[in-house]
């Protein structure tokens, strides 16, 4: 979900003083699994004596979640280009998960991801950024439920990434995803899926980073299949492919050439 200065996301604490900035594009080394587009813009908490800390409040049911935070320094005016110029901490559910974190010292001008396991018991996941030196910043927040029903919520500054909530009772993962092949990656017009055994019912859905489902098809009694996307005009980029069988669901990220 997009988060911008003119249209701040509802999960941002309305009482905190913070801004968005940064370039609309970014290029650098990125092995985080997130799209490059989220690493240009960022939301930050200004280094003012009267400024409140940056805080996020995500309404979530009780359970265990994996929280991924995405960061990158960018060479815009006022950006950090040296170790020690930006230090901050992060608290989740009032527990410190990062302390004296330095994006530049950790990754230089490249992308970096930090992952945490958090338990929510009060219906809200609170994420607070603690100012130490300079302006705390974040480029993207991803929340994935790891117990109970499956779900993911992704927030990025300046770009709409994706939103997915699966509240049905379908198992989150296939019982043996290693036996399944999804190829080629990158793909051009076709995505092939090969299982280790025949499945009675298979559903293949392809979702754009924006959250739009661009392809969906059902297959019956098959051990391998081909999803033909030649009739869909898809721009190059990252897509989310969800494969659902009677035994569960598997989600893969794939690159369209």
């Amino acid at each position: 979900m997009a988060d911008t200065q003119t249209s701040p996301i509802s999960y941002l604490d309305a009482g905190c003083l913070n801004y968005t900035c940064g370039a609309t594009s970014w290029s650098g080394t990125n092995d985080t699994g997130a799209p490059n587009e989220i690493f240009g813009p960022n939301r930050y908490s200004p280094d003012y004596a009267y400024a409140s800390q940056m805080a996020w409040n995500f309404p979530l049911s009780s359970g265990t979640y994996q929280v991924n935070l995405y960061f990158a320094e960018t060479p815009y005016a006022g950006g950090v280009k040296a170790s020690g110029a930006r230090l901050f901490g992060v608290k989740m559910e009032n527990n410190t998960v990062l302390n004296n974190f330095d994006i530049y010292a950790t990754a230089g001008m490249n992308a970096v991801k930090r992952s945490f396991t958090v338990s929510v018991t009060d219906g809200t996941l609170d994420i607070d950024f603690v100012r130490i030196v300079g302006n705390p910043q974040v480029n993207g927040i991803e929340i994935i439920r790891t117990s109970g029903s499956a779900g993911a919520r992704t927030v990025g500054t300046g770009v709409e990434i994706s939103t997915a909530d699966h509240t049905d009772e379908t198992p989150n993962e296939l019982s043996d995803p290693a036996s399944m092949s999804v190829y080629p990656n990158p793909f051009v017009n076709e995505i092939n899926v090969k299982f280790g055994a025949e499945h009675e019912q298979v559903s293949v859905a392809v979702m754009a980073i924006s959250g739009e489902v661009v392809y969906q098809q059902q297959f019956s009694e098959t051990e391998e299949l081909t999803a033909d996307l030649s009739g869909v005009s898809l721009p190059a980029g990252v897509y989310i492919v969800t494969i659902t069988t009677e035994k569960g669901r598997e989600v893969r990220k794939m690159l369209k050439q």
Side-chain angles (χ1 to χ4, degrees):
M1 301 177 67
D3 173 48
T4 66
Q5 191 61 35
T6 55
S7 298
I9 199 165
S10 60
Y11 306 126
L12 186 69
D13 191 320
C16 60
L17 179 62
N18 52 84
Y19 303 98
T20 57
C21 71
T24 56
S25 62
W26 181 89
S27 62
T29 300
N30 174 19
D31 57 6
T32 68
N36 281 357
E37 287 82 355
I38 75 167
F39 293 105
N42 63 77
R43 184 169 285 280
Y44 71 96
S45 180
D47 187 16
Y48 302 150
Y50 60 86
S52 56
Q53 304 281 20
M54 181 166 57
W56 305 74
N57 305 304
F58 293 91
L60 297 172
S61 58
S62 296
T64 304
Y65 295 83
Q66 177 181 318
V67 181
N68 300 322
L69 301 181
Y70 298 92
F71 309 95
E73 294 292 356
T74 51
Y76 59 86
V80 166
K81 303 175 185 177
S83 299
R86 187 196 312 277
L87 297 173
F88 59 92
V90 178
K91 290 185 177 181
M92 296 183 184
E93 293 295 90
N94 208 34
N95 296 314
T96 298
V97 296
L98 276 178
N99 192 29
N100 287 313
F101 184 61
D102 187 326
I103 300 172
Y104 187 89
T106 302
M109 304 303 285
N110 299 315
V112 61
K113 167 181 152 182
R114 287 292 180 265
S115 300
F116 312 94
T117 300
V118 183
S119 294
V120 175
T121 59
D122 59 359
T124 303
L125 170 60
D126 299 315
I127 304 178
D128 303 304
F129 286 74
V130 181
R131 187 183 304 108
I132 299 174
V133 176
N135 307 326
Q137 79 167 45
V138 64
N139 297 72
I141 301 172
E142 181 179 33
I143 302 170
I144 304 169
R145 188 179 178 102
T146 57
S147 68
S149 59
R153 186 165 292 151
T154 309
V155 178
T157 51
V159 62
E160 184 174 345
I161 307 169
S162 65
T163 304
D165 267 318
H166 306 293
T167 55
D168 56 34
E169 296 181 356
T170 304
N172 185 25
E173 297 180 348
L174 292 176
S175 57
D176 187 13
S179 66
M180 181 183 68
S181 299
V182 185
Y183 62 95
N185 192 10
F187 69 94
V188 179
N189 290 320
E190 294 183 347
I191 297 175
N192 301 302
V193 182
K194 186 173 183 179
F195 302 97
E198 184 174 279
H199 287 278
E200 295 178 6
Q201 296 290 332
V202 180
S203 172
V204 178
V206 180
M207 184 175 70
I209 287 298
S210 66
E212 177 189 4
V213 176
V214 296
Y215 172 92
Q216 191 164 13
Q217 187 171 344
Q218 304 285 335
F219 300 84
S220 300
E221 298 180 350
T222 182
E223 188 173 341
E224 56 185 302
L225 60 89
T226 297
D228 184 0
L229 286 81
S230 58
V232 185
S233 181
L234 298 181
V238 177
Y239 291 82
I240 308 300
V241 180
T242 302
I243 301 156
T244 306
T245 77
E246 71 278 3
K247 294 186 178 180
R249 175 190 289 123
E250 179 70 5
V251 179
R252 301 285 179 92
K253 285 182 181 178
M254 301 193 71
L255 181 65
K256 166 71 165 63
Q257 285 186 332

